Amino acid sequence: MKDLYVVAAIGLAMPLNAAVFRAGIEAQLARHPYFSSIQVTDKHDGTPRWVPTAVNIDDHIVVVSNLAGAEEDDDPDKAVEDYLSSLSTLPMDHTRPPWEFHFLDVKTSEAASTVALRVHHALADGMSLITLLVSASRSATDPALPATAPPPPARRKGAIYAPPSSASFVWSVWSYLVVAWHTVVDVVTFVATIFFLRDPDTLFKREDHGEPHRRRMRFVHRSLSLDDVKFVKNAMNCTVNDVLVGVTSAALSRYFFRKAGDTKTRETVLRSILPVNTRPTTSLQMDVDMIKSGKSDAVRWGNRLGYIILPFHLALHNDPLKYVRKAKQIIDRKKGSLEVIVIHMAIEIIFKLFGPKAGAYIFNNVLANTTITFSNLIGPPEQIELCGHPVAYIAPSVYGLQQGLTVHYQSYSNCIKVILAVDEAQFPDYRQLLDDFAVSLELTKVAAANTSTKSIKGD
């Protein structure tokens, strides 16, 4: 998409030394191929391609001084939040590589200073940016050592469609048929969403999908305990992603039924687009190693994402664990489908045959007909030092979508951030929505602690 950007707020644990951070950018980041290239359109077939260009570091650094409201007697957190929000309405100069750092030497409740990275999504997706971040960082406990890369996701013991090795021939055939059926249903649903299948109009759905880059977005985040998430995961014998999807369902449900004042409606279903990294599970560490060894040209940058449609069930449950059970049921069902592979391959073929406009048509329509975008990204497992500054938190988000709400989770050390990108005109009480995520996790943790293992796993 032409106007899709990533905005990553990086809180620093010390006052910002602009000269030191600039030197780090020049030495560690700006030398990478995509960060020293511009995207041009081929005159013959109209496809975009990257062309190397000279980089003037100072063109990509914005030092913010005299930030309104930044004094301690005012509200520095709100001042930084307002500034980041303003970025969603500012154009970017595409005659030079589409990235920039904003320096905000302002002390907030979570950081001594903040840097914000704004980058066009065509340059890199979330996993690419984490790869770049880790490759440019050092361990905060011992800066002589490189930062530890995020652990790869747990590997499947076999292919997604492989039945147990001990299964009978009949069971094996049945397993393949089930996966094939799930895949057909999911792909048909995805195609229908492109053309006509639309989510119901709820307070979460943006009514006006035109000119999304002109709609001011607000980026807000809250720190959650990764230990609390893992506690629920272990108690319910599920995954971290199951817990986060369940907590999100609970938070959206709290907000929805409070705002609507409707206690008679039993359940409402809205759908999200879930970007899925299609790289091999070990690719992040391999890419980090290649960058550190001076082989950054061999790293495949850009976007390597597939997409699935993930439903969220909004309901009023007295038992908070029901949200997690429902999330696990939905995700387990999605794991028994090749939707992400088929959709990824189909979009690549369509892009090659019909060009970027066809790909944009698919992407825009799916976003317009669903309600939110949801993602979860694993970050560094220990504290890191970036460009000579210890990092307190990492809070990436995105703007330029047709939707009014994006929910993103980002883990870092023993913390996990929930980051919301909200249309501030649509969600003037976005702080209440953010609070609902923290409350929902706390209620889920308490319920898991107060319930026996047997009943937790029950229906």
Short mmCIF file of all heavy atoms in Angstrom, two decimals, residues 42-95:
data_model
loop_
_atom_site.label_atom_id
_atom_site.label_comp_id
_atom_site.label_asym_id
_atom_site.label_seq_id
_atom_site.Cartn_x
_atom_site.Cartn_y
_atom_site.Cartn_z
N ASP A 42 8.99 0.79 -12.41
CA ASP A 42 9.53 0.41 -13.72
C ASP A 42 8.66 0.99 -14.83
O ASP A 42 7.44 0.88 -14.80
CB ASP A 42 9.57 -1.12 -13.83
CG ASP A 42 10.36 -1.58 -15.05
OD1 ASP A 42 9.82 -1.50 -16.17
OD2 ASP A 42 11.52 -2.01 -14.89
N LYS A 43 9.29 1.62 -15.81
CA LYS A 43 8.55 2.29 -16.88
C LYS A 43 7.85 1.31 -17.80
O LYS A 43 6.85 1.66 -18.45
CB LYS A 43 9.50 3.17 -17.70
CG LYS A 43 10.10 4.34 -16.93
CD LYS A 43 11.00 5.17 -17.81
CE LYS A 43 11.61 6.35 -17.04
NZ LYS A 43 12.51 7.16 -17.91
N HIS A 44 8.33 0.07 -17.86
CA HIS A 44 7.77 -0.89 -18.81
C HIS A 44 6.57 -1.65 -18.23
O HIS A 44 5.51 -1.72 -18.86
CB HIS A 44 8.85 -1.88 -19.25
CG HIS A 44 10.01 -1.22 -19.92
ND1 HIS A 44 9.93 -0.67 -21.18
CD2 HIS A 44 11.30 -1.00 -19.50
CE1 HIS A 44 11.11 -0.14 -21.52
NE2 HIS A 44 11.95 -0.34 -20.51
N ASP A 45 6.73 -2.23 -17.04
CA ASP A 45 5.64 -3.05 -16.51
C ASP A 45 4.97 -2.45 -15.27
O ASP A 45 4.01 -3.01 -14.74
CB ASP A 45 6.13 -4.46 -16.18
CG ASP A 45 7.31 -4.46 -15.19
OD1 ASP A 45 7.56 -3.41 -14.57
OD2 ASP A 45 7.96 -5.50 -15.06
N GLY A 46 5.46 -1.29 -14.80
CA GLY A 46 4.82 -0.60 -13.68
C GLY A 46 5.07 -1.21 -12.31
O GLY A 46 4.46 -0.79 -11.33
N THR A 47 5.96 -2.19 -12.22
CA THR A 47 6.24 -2.82 -10.92
C THR A 47 7.28 -1.99 -10.16
O THR A 47 8.20 -1.42 -10.75
CB THR A 47 6.77 -4.25 -11.10
OG1 THR A 47 7.96 -4.22 -11.91
CG2 THR A 47 5.74 -5.13 -11.76
N PRO A 48 7.15 -1.92 -8.84
CA PRO A 48 8.12 -1.17 -8.04
C PRO A 48 9.40 -1.95 -7.84
O PRO A 48 9.40 -3.19 -7.76
CB PRO A 48 7.39 -0.97 -6.70
CG PRO A 48 6.46 -2.13 -6.62
CD PRO A 48 6.05 -2.46 -8.02
N ARG A 49 10.52 -1.27 -7.78
CA ARG A 49 11.81 -1.90 -7.49
C ARG A 49 12.67 -0.92 -6.71
O ARG A 49 12.45 0.29 -6.73
CB ARG A 49 12.51 -2.35 -8.77
CG ARG A 49 12.76 -1.24 -9.78
CD ARG A 49 13.27 -1.78 -11.11
NE ARG A 49 13.45 -0.73 -12.10
CZ ARG A 49 14.57 -0.04 -12.25
NH1 ARG A 49 15.63 -0.30 -11.49
NH2 ARG A 49 14.66 0.91 -13.16
N TRP A 50 13.65 -1.47 -6.00
CA TRP A 50 14.52 -0.67 -5.15
C TRP A 50 15.81 -0.34 -5.87
O TRP A 50 16.44 -1.20 -6.48
CB TRP A 50 14.81 -1.42 -3.85
CG TRP A 50 13.59 -1.57 -2.99
CD1 TRP A 50 12.74 -2.64 -2.94
CD2 TRP A 50 13.06 -0.60 -2.08
NE1 TRP A 50 11.72 -2.40 -2.05
CE2 TRP A 50 11.90 -1.17 -1.50
CE3 TRP A 50 13.47 0.67 -1.68
CZ2 TRP A 50 11.13 -0.49 -0.56
CZ3 TRP A 50 12.70 1.34 -0.74
CH2 TRP A 50 11.55 0.77 -0.19
N VAL A 51 16.20 0.94 -5.78
CA VAL A 51 17.41 1.43 -6.45
C VAL A 51 18.31 2.08 -5.40
O VAL A 51 17.86 2.95 -4.64
CB VAL A 51 17.05 2.46 -7.55
CG1 VAL A 51 18.32 3.02 -8.18
CG2 VAL A 51 16.14 1.84 -8.59
N PRO A 52 19.59 1.68 -5.33
CA PRO A 52 20.50 2.29 -4.35
C PRO A 52 20.65 3.79 -4.58
O PRO A 52 20.59 4.27 -5.71
CB PRO A 52 21.83 1.55 -4.60
CG PRO A 52 21.45 0.28 -5.29
CD PRO A 52 20.25 0.61 -6.11
N THR A 53 20.83 4.52 -3.49
CA THR A 53 21.01 5.96 -3.56
C THR A 53 21.89 6.42 -2.41
O THR A 53 22.08 5.69 -1.43
CB THR A 53 19.64 6.68 -3.50
OG1 THR A 53 19.83 8.08 -3.75
CG2 THR A 53 18.99 6.52 -2.14
N ALA A 54 22.43 7.62 -2.53
CA ALA A 54 23.25 8.17 -1.45
C ALA A 54 22.35 8.58 -0.29
O ALA A 54 21.23 9.04 -0.49
CB ALA A 54 24.04 9.38 -1.97
N VAL A 55 22.86 8.40 0.93
CA VAL A 55 22.09 8.72 2.13
C VAL A 55 22.78 9.80 2.92
O VAL A 55 23.96 9.67 3.28
CB VAL A 55 21.91 7.46 3.01
CG1 VAL A 55 21.18 7.82 4.31
CG2 VAL A 55 21.15 6.38 2.26
N ASN A 56 22.06 10.87 3.18
CA ASN A 56 22.52 11.91 4.08
C ASN A 56 21.80 11.69 5.41
O ASN A 56 20.59 11.91 5.52
CB ASN A 56 22.20 13.30 3.51
CG ASN A 56 22.68 14.43 4.42
OD1 ASN A 56 23.15 14.20 5.54
ND2 ASN A 56 22.54 15.66 3.95
N ILE A 57 22.52 11.23 6.42
CA ILE A 57 21.92 10.85 7.70
C ILE A 57 21.07 11.97 8.28
O ILE A 57 19.98 11.74 8.82
CB ILE A 57 23.00 10.42 8.71
CG1 ILE A 57 23.73 9.18 8.21
CG2 ILE A 57 22.39 10.16 10.07
CD1 ILE A 57 22.85 7.97 8.08
N ASP A 58 21.53 13.19 8.15
CA ASP A 58 20.82 14.32 8.76
C ASP A 58 19.45 14.55 8.12
O ASP A 58 18.57 15.16 8.76
CB ASP A 58 21.66 15.59 8.67
CG ASP A 58 22.92 15.48 9.53
OD1 ASP A 58 22.84 14.87 10.61
OD2 ASP A 58 23.97 16.00 9.11
N ASP A 59 19.25 14.05 6.90
CA ASP A 59 17.93 14.17 6.28
C ASP A 59 16.92 13.23 6.93
O ASP A 59 15.70 13.38 6.73
CB ASP A 59 18.01 13.83 4.78
CG ASP A 59 18.72 14.92 3.98
OD1 ASP A 59 18.78 16.06 4.49
OD2 ASP A 59 19.22 14.62 2.88
N HIS A 60 17.41 12.25 7.69
CA HIS A 60 16.54 11.22 8.26
C HIS A 60 16.43 11.33 9.77
O HIS A 60 15.89 10.42 10.41
CB HIS A 60 17.07 9.84 7.87
CG HIS A 60 17.10 9.59 6.40
ND1 HIS A 60 16.05 8.99 5.72
CD2 HIS A 60 18.03 9.89 5.45
CE1 HIS A 60 16.35 8.91 4.44
NE2 HIS A 60 17.54 9.46 4.24
N ILE A 61 16.93 12.40 10.34
CA ILE A 61 16.86 12.61 11.79
C ILE A 61 16.14 13.92 12.09
O ILE A 61 16.50 14.97 11.55
CB ILE A 61 18.26 12.61 12.42
CG1 ILE A 61 18.90 11.22 12.28
CG2 ILE A 61 18.19 12.99 13.90
CD1 ILE A 61 20.32 11.14 12.81
N VAL A 62 15.13 13.83 12.93
CA VAL A 62 14.38 15.02 13.36
C VAL A 62 14.58 15.17 14.86
O VAL A 62 14.17 14.32 15.64
CB VAL A 62 12.88 14.89 13.04
CG1 VAL A 62 12.12 16.12 13.52
CG2 VAL A 62 12.66 14.66 11.56
N VAL A 63 15.27 16.23 15.25
CA VAL A 63 15.49 16.51 16.67
C VAL A 63 14.38 17.46 17.14
O VAL A 63 14.27 18.59 16.66
CB VAL A 63 16.87 17.13 16.92
CG1 VAL A 63 17.05 17.42 18.42
CG2 VAL A 63 17.97 16.21 16.42
N VAL A 64 13.55 16.96 18.05
CA VAL A 64 12.40 17.72 18.51
C VAL A 64 12.79 18.53 19.75
O VAL A 64 13.23 17.97 20.76
CB VAL A 64 11.22 16.80 18.85
CG1 VAL A 64 10.01 17.61 19.30
CG2 VAL A 64 10.87 15.93 17.64
N SER A 65 12.66 19.82 19.66
CA SER A 65 12.95 20.69 20.81
C SER A 65 11.70 21.50 21.15
O SER A 65 10.83 21.72 20.31
CB SER A 65 14.12 21.63 20.48
OG SER A 65 13.83 22.41 19.33
N ASN A 66 11.62 21.93 22.41
CA ASN A 66 10.49 22.73 22.87
C ASN A 66 9.15 22.05 22.60
O ASN A 66 8.22 22.66 22.04
CB ASN A 66 10.51 24.12 22.20
CG ASN A 66 11.78 24.89 22.52
OD1 ASN A 66 12.28 24.84 23.64
ND2 ASN A 66 12.30 25.59 21.51
N LEU A 67 9.07 20.78 22.99
CA LEU A 67 7.83 20.03 22.81
C LEU A 67 6.77 20.56 23.78
O LEU A 67 6.98 20.57 24.99
CB LEU A 67 8.07 18.53 23.05
CG LEU A 67 6.91 17.59 22.76
CD1 LEU A 67 6.53 17.62 21.29
CD2 LEU A 67 7.27 16.16 23.17
N ALA A 68 5.66 20.98 23.25
CA ALA A 68 4.60 21.58 24.08
C ALA A 68 4.08 20.56 25.08
O ALA A 68 3.78 19.42 24.74
CB ALA A 68 3.46 22.07 23.20
N GLY A 69 4.00 20.95 26.34
CA GLY A 69 3.49 20.08 27.38
C GLY A 69 4.49 19.10 27.93
O GLY A 69 4.14 18.20 28.70
N ALA A 70 5.77 19.25 27.56
CA ALA A 70 6.78 18.27 27.97
C ALA A 70 7.33 18.52 29.36
O ALA A 70 8.04 17.69 29.90
CB ALA A 70 7.93 18.29 26.96
N GLU A 71 7.03 19.68 29.96
CA GLU A 71 7.55 19.97 31.29
C GLU A 71 6.90 19.04 32.32
O GLU A 71 5.78 18.58 32.16
CB GLU A 71 7.26 21.43 31.66
CG GLU A 71 7.98 22.46 30.81
CD GLU A 71 7.36 22.63 29.43
OE1 GLU A 71 6.22 22.13 29.24
OE2 GLU A 71 7.99 23.24 28.54
N GLU A 72 7.64 18.76 33.39
CA GLU A 72 7.15 17.82 34.41
C GLU A 72 5.86 18.30 35.04
O GLU A 72 5.02 17.51 35.47
CB GLU A 72 8.22 17.60 35.48
CG GLU A 72 9.43 16.83 34.98
CD GLU A 72 10.38 16.47 36.11
OE1 GLU A 72 9.98 16.59 37.27
OE2 GLU A 72 11.50 16.07 35.82
N ASP A 73 5.68 19.62 35.14
CA ASP A 73 4.45 20.16 35.74
C ASP A 73 3.25 19.95 34.82
O ASP A 73 2.10 20.05 35.26
CB ASP A 73 4.62 21.65 36.05
CG ASP A 73 5.64 21.89 37.15
OD1 ASP A 73 5.89 20.94 37.93
OD2 ASP A 73 6.17 23.01 37.24
N ASP A 74 3.50 19.70 33.55
CA ASP A 74 2.41 19.45 32.60
C ASP A 74 2.21 17.93 32.50
O ASP A 74 2.14 17.25 33.50
CB ASP A 74 2.75 20.07 31.25
CG ASP A 74 2.81 21.59 31.33
OD1 ASP A 74 2.00 22.17 32.06
OD2 ASP A 74 3.68 22.19 30.66
N ASP A 75 2.14 17.40 31.30
CA ASP A 75 1.93 15.97 31.10
C ASP A 75 2.85 15.50 29.98
O ASP A 75 2.44 15.43 28.81
CB ASP A 75 0.46 15.69 30.74
CG ASP A 75 0.14 14.21 30.75
OD1 ASP A 75 1.07 13.39 30.79
OD2 ASP A 75 -1.07 13.87 30.72
N PRO A 76 4.12 15.16 30.30
CA PRO A 76 5.06 14.77 29.26
C PRO A 76 4.64 13.50 28.52
O PRO A 76 4.92 13.36 27.32
CB PRO A 76 6.38 14.56 30.01
CG PRO A 76 6.00 14.42 31.45
CD PRO A 76 4.75 15.21 31.64
N ASP A 77 3.97 12.57 29.21
CA ASP A 77 3.50 11.36 28.52
C ASP A 77 2.52 11.73 27.40
O ASP A 77 2.61 11.21 26.29
CB ASP A 77 2.81 10.42 29.52
CG ASP A 77 3.78 9.74 30.46
OD1 ASP A 77 4.41 10.46 31.27
OD2 ASP A 77 3.93 8.52 30.40
N LYS A 78 1.61 12.63 27.72
CA LYS A 78 0.62 13.07 26.71
C LYS A 78 1.30 13.86 25.60
O LYS A 78 0.91 13.77 24.43
CB LYS A 78 -0.43 13.95 27.40
CG LYS A 78 -1.54 14.47 26.51
CD LYS A 78 -2.43 13.34 26.02
CE LYS A 78 -3.78 13.87 25.49
NZ LYS A 78 -3.67 14.98 24.57
N ALA A 79 2.34 14.64 25.95
CA ALA A 79 3.06 15.42 24.94
C ALA A 79 3.73 14.50 23.92
O ALA A 79 3.67 14.74 22.71
CB ALA A 79 4.09 16.32 25.62
N VAL A 80 4.38 13.44 24.40
CA VAL A 80 5.03 12.48 23.49
C VAL A 80 3.97 11.74 22.67
O VAL A 80 4.13 11.54 21.46
CB VAL A 80 5.90 11.49 24.29
CG1 VAL A 80 6.39 10.36 23.39
CG2 VAL A 80 7.08 12.21 24.93
N GLU A 81 2.88 11.37 23.33
CA GLU A 81 1.79 10.69 22.63
C GLU A 81 1.23 11.57 21.52
O GLU A 81 0.97 11.11 20.39
CB GLU A 81 0.70 10.32 23.64
CG GLU A 81 -0.51 9.62 23.05
CD GLU A 81 -1.61 9.45 24.07
OE1 GLU A 81 -1.34 8.87 25.13
OE2 GLU A 81 -2.74 9.90 23.80
N ASP A 82 1.03 12.85 21.81
CA ASP A 82 0.51 13.79 20.80
C ASP A 82 1.46 13.91 19.62
O ASP A 82 1.03 13.98 18.46
CB ASP A 82 0.28 15.16 21.43
CG ASP A 82 -0.92 15.20 22.37
OD1 ASP A 82 -1.75 14.28 22.31
OD2 ASP A 82 -1.00 16.15 23.18
N TYR A 83 2.76 13.96 19.94
CA TYR A 83 3.73 14.11 18.85
C TYR A 83 3.70 12.88 17.93
O TYR A 83 3.70 13.01 16.70
CB TYR A 83 5.13 14.31 19.41
CG TYR A 83 6.17 14.51 18.32
CD1 TYR A 83 6.35 15.76 17.74
CD2 TYR A 83 6.92 13.44 17.83
CE1 TYR A 83 7.27 15.94 16.70
CE2 TYR A 83 7.83 13.61 16.81
CZ TYR A 83 8.00 14.86 16.24
OH TYR A 83 8.90 15.05 15.22
N LEU A 84 3.69 11.68 18.54
CA LEU A 84 3.66 10.46 17.73
C LEU A 84 2.39 10.41 16.89
O LEU A 84 2.41 9.98 15.73
CB LEU A 84 3.75 9.23 18.62
CG LEU A 84 5.06 9.05 19.40
CD1 LEU A 84 4.99 7.82 20.28
CD2 LEU A 84 6.24 8.95 18.45
N SER A 85 1.29 10.86 17.46
CA SER A 85 0.04 10.90 16.71
C SER A 85 0.13 11.83 15.51
O SER A 85 -0.41 11.54 14.44
CB SER A 85 -1.10 11.34 17.64
OG SER A 85 -2.31 11.45 16.93
N SER A 86 0.83 12.93 15.66
CA SER A 86 0.96 13.90 14.56
C SER A 86 1.68 13.30 13.36
O SER A 86 1.47 13.73 12.22
CB SER A 86 1.68 15.16 15.04
OG SER A 86 3.07 14.90 15.27
N LEU A 87 2.52 12.28 13.60
CA LEU A 87 3.26 11.67 12.50
C LEU A 87 2.32 10.97 11.52
O LEU A 87 2.66 10.82 10.34
CB LEU A 87 4.27 10.65 13.04
CG LEU A 87 5.39 11.20 13.92
CD1 LEU A 87 6.31 10.07 14.39
CD2 LEU A 87 6.21 12.26 13.18
N SER A 88 1.14 10.56 12.00
CA SER A 88 0.21 9.83 11.13
C SER A 88 -0.42 10.72 10.07
O SER A 88 -1.08 10.21 9.15
CB SER A 88 -0.88 9.17 11.98
OG SER A 88 -1.72 10.13 12.58
N THR A 89 -0.24 12.02 10.17
CA THR A 89 -0.81 12.93 9.18
C THR A 89 0.27 13.66 8.37
O THR A 89 -0.06 14.47 7.50
CB THR A 89 -1.71 13.99 9.85
OG1 THR A 89 -0.93 14.76 10.78
CG2 THR A 89 -2.85 13.32 10.60
N LEU A 90 1.54 13.38 8.67
CA LEU A 90 2.62 14.07 7.97
C LEU A 90 3.10 13.26 6.78
O LEU A 90 3.29 12.04 6.88
CB LEU A 90 3.80 14.32 8.93
CG LEU A 90 3.54 15.25 10.12
CD1 LEU A 90 4.81 15.37 10.95
CD2 LEU A 90 3.08 16.63 9.64
N PRO A 91 3.30 13.89 5.63
CA PRO A 91 3.82 13.16 4.47
C PRO A 91 5.30 12.82 4.67
O PRO A 91 5.99 13.39 5.51
CB PRO A 91 3.63 14.15 3.32
CG PRO A 91 3.71 15.50 3.99
CD PRO A 91 3.08 15.31 5.34
N MET A 92 5.77 11.86 3.89
CA MET A 92 7.20 11.49 3.92
C MET A 92 7.77 11.71 2.52
O MET A 92 7.13 11.42 1.51
CB MET A 92 7.38 10.04 4.36
CG MET A 92 8.85 9.61 4.43
SD MET A 92 9.08 7.93 5.09
CE MET A 92 8.93 8.26 6.84
N ASP A 93 8.98 12.22 2.48
CA ASP A 93 9.66 12.50 1.21
C ASP A 93 10.19 11.20 0.61
O ASP A 93 11.13 10.60 1.15
CB ASP A 93 10.81 13.49 1.46
CG ASP A 93 11.48 13.93 0.17
OD1 ASP A 93 11.13 13.40 -0.91
OD2 ASP A 93 12.37 14.81 0.24
N HIS A 94 9.60 10.75 -0.49
CA HIS A 94 10.00 9.48 -1.11
C HIS A 94 11.09 9.65 -2.15
O HIS A 94 11.41 8.70 -2.86
CB HIS A 94 8.78 8.78 -1.71
CG HIS A 94 7.90 8.15 -0.69
ND1 HIS A 94 7.94 6.81 -0.38
CD2 HIS A 94 6.96 8.70 0.14
CE1 HIS A 94 7.05 6.54 0.57
NE2 HIS A 94 6.45 7.68 0.90
N THR A 95 11.65 10.85 -2.24
CA THR A 95 12.81 11.02 -3.11
C THR A 95 14.09 10.55 -2.40
O THR A 95 15.16 10.54 -2.98
CB THR A 95 12.98 12.49 -3.54
OG1 THR A 95 13.20 13.30 -2.36
CG2 THR A 95 11.74 12.97 -4.27
#
